[in-house]
């Protein structure tokens, strides 16, 4: 039994003889009316438009599946559901930061570790960055690294890369797919070393300004089509 207390006027309970389509239409109507408030709640908690929209969509799915006969106040039910979902998202992000940003890309570097462990950590980052360079475009790589390694909100990524928020979300999804392929492209050795060094400095110090600038510059060069040294320019061949 739902224990939420109602606020506002009570709605007339649905009769057992009402058809299913009428009930679904009423549920949709209630949600549409309440949606602006739900989005405001999610955005206040998450501070990210895309994630707030995802939470509101999940709240709709929960509402559509719920036994609404026990809900005394639909707006209160929806508000509470949205709040809980948004908090779950923030807690999940915190857990990712406390463990790692992915199976291969560590978020932070422990300066207290011994030289052997430090070398292993460097090798792991080196291999991970090479994989990104081989399989992703500059825009995919930048969005994926900022999102997965440092948990940047999509809105902030879009500002850094001068791309739309929806576009950055698509880039991260596309990067997931391409990392699972066998695609390979030549990797410039100097660009590889530069990105590894910049990533490690950012992870160790927490100052990501240089990494942001490097990734944004690669995206801008790729968009302009200029053939200057970048993370995607093939290695020069020696005779």
């Amino acid at each position: 039994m739902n224990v939420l207390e109602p606020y506002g006027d009570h709605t007339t309970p649905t009769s057992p003889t009402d058809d299913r389509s009428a009930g679904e239409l009423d549920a949709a109507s209630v949600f549409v009316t309440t949606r602006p408030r739900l989005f405001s709640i999610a955005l206040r908690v998450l501070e990210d438009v895309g994630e707030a929209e995802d939470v509101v969509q999940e709240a709709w799915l929960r509402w559509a599946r719920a036994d609404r006969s026990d809900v005394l106040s639909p707006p209160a039910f929806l508000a509470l559901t949205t709040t809980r979902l948004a908090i779950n998202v923030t807690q999940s992000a915190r857990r990712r930061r406390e463990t790692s940003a992915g199976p291969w890309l560590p978020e932070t570097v422990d300066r207290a570790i011994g030289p052997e462990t430090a070398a292993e950590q460097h090798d792991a980052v080196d291999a991970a960055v090479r994989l990104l360079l081989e399989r992703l475009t500059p825009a995919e790589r930048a969005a994926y690294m900022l999102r997965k390694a440092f948990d940047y909100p999509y809105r902030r990524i879009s500002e850094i890369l001068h791309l739309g928020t929806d576009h950055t979300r698509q880039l991260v999804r596309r990067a997931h797919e391409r990392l699972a392929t066998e695609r390979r492209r030549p990797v410039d050795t100097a660009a590889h070393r530069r990105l590894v060094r910049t990533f490690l400095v950012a992870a160790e110090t927490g100052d990501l300004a240089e990494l942001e600038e490097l990734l944004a510059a690669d995206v801008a060069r790729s968009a302009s089509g200029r053939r200057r040294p970048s993370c995607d320019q093939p290695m020069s061949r020696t005779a």
Side-chain angles (χ1 to χ4, degrees):
M1 174 67 71
N2 192 286
V3 296
L4 287 175
E5 292 296 330
Y7 63 92
D9 296 333
H10 285 281
T11 56
T12 303
T14 303
S15 165
T17 60
D18 289 340
D19 60 38
R20 183 181 179 84
S21 61
E24 291 175 349
L25 181 62
D26 182 62
S29 176
V30 170
F31 183 82
V32 169
T33 302
T34 314
R35 191 184 189 285
R37 181 185 176 213
L38 305 182
F39 180 76
S40 296
I41 292 172
L43 185 61
R44 190 160 55 245
V45 174
L46 297 169
E47 298 182 343
D48 183 273
V49 173
E51 290 184 342
E53 289 174 345
D54 288 345
V55 163
V56 172
Q57 178 63 22
E58 179 61 25
W60 158 249
L61 295 176
R62 299 284 181 95
W63 173 241
R65 294 192 299 260
D67 181 1
R68 293 183 295 276
S69 63
D70 286 340
V71 177
L72 298 178
S73 173
F77 175 91
L78 288 166
L80 181 59
T81 299
T82 301
T83 301
R84 286 174 174 170
L85 289 170
I87 291 174
N88 287 343
V89 171
T90 60
Q91 290 175 340
S92 176
R94 188 177 302 114
R95 284 194 295 272
R96 289 197 304 271
R97 290 194 296 269
E98 289 171 351
T99 53
S100 68
W104 48 267
L105 196 58
E107 179 190 352
T108 58
V109 177
D110 187 355
R111 286 170 286 183
I113 62 178
E116 291 185 2
T117 304
E120 292 175 358
Q121 195 170 55
H122 182 280
D123 289 344
V125 172
D126 187 279
V129 169
R130 176 172 291 278
L131 187 67
L132 294 183
L133 293 170
E134 289 176 340
R135 300 189 181 183
L136 305 181
T137 66
E140 291 166 349
R141 178 168 60 250
Y144 186 85
M145 182 174 285
L146 293 174
R147 179 65 180 173
K148 297 301 179 181
F150 299 99
D151 204 35
Y152 272 50
Y154 287 108
R155 180 176 56 186
R156 177 58 182 149
I157 298 173
S158 69
E159 293 170 352
I160 294 169
L161 304 182
H162 303 289
L163 301 171
T165 304
D166 288 342
H167 189 188
T168 61
R169 296 170 69 84
Q170 293 171 1
L171 288 170
V172 173
R173 286 195 293 267
R174 196 182 307 154
H176 274 293
E177 297 171 357
R178 290 191 173 177
L179 285 172
T181 69
E182 295 300 320
R183 161 179 171 161
R184 292 286 190 278
R185 67 176 71 194
V187 175
D188 178 71
T189 302
H192 177 222
R193 285 199 300 264
R194 183 169 63 250
L195 186 53
V196 170
R197 177 190 63 78
T198 306
F199 176 88
L200 288 171
V201 170
E204 181 174 350
T205 65
D207 184 356
L208 276 72
E210 184 181 358
L211 179 63
E212 291 177 2
E213 292 174 4
L214 176 62
L215 295 174
D218 278 330
V219 173
R221 277 192 292 266
S222 176
S224 67
R226 287 178 292 189
R227 300 294 296 173
R228 298 194 304 184
S230 72
C231 289
D232 282 298
Q233 186 164 334
M235 294 181 290
S236 60
R237 296 181 180 179
T238 56

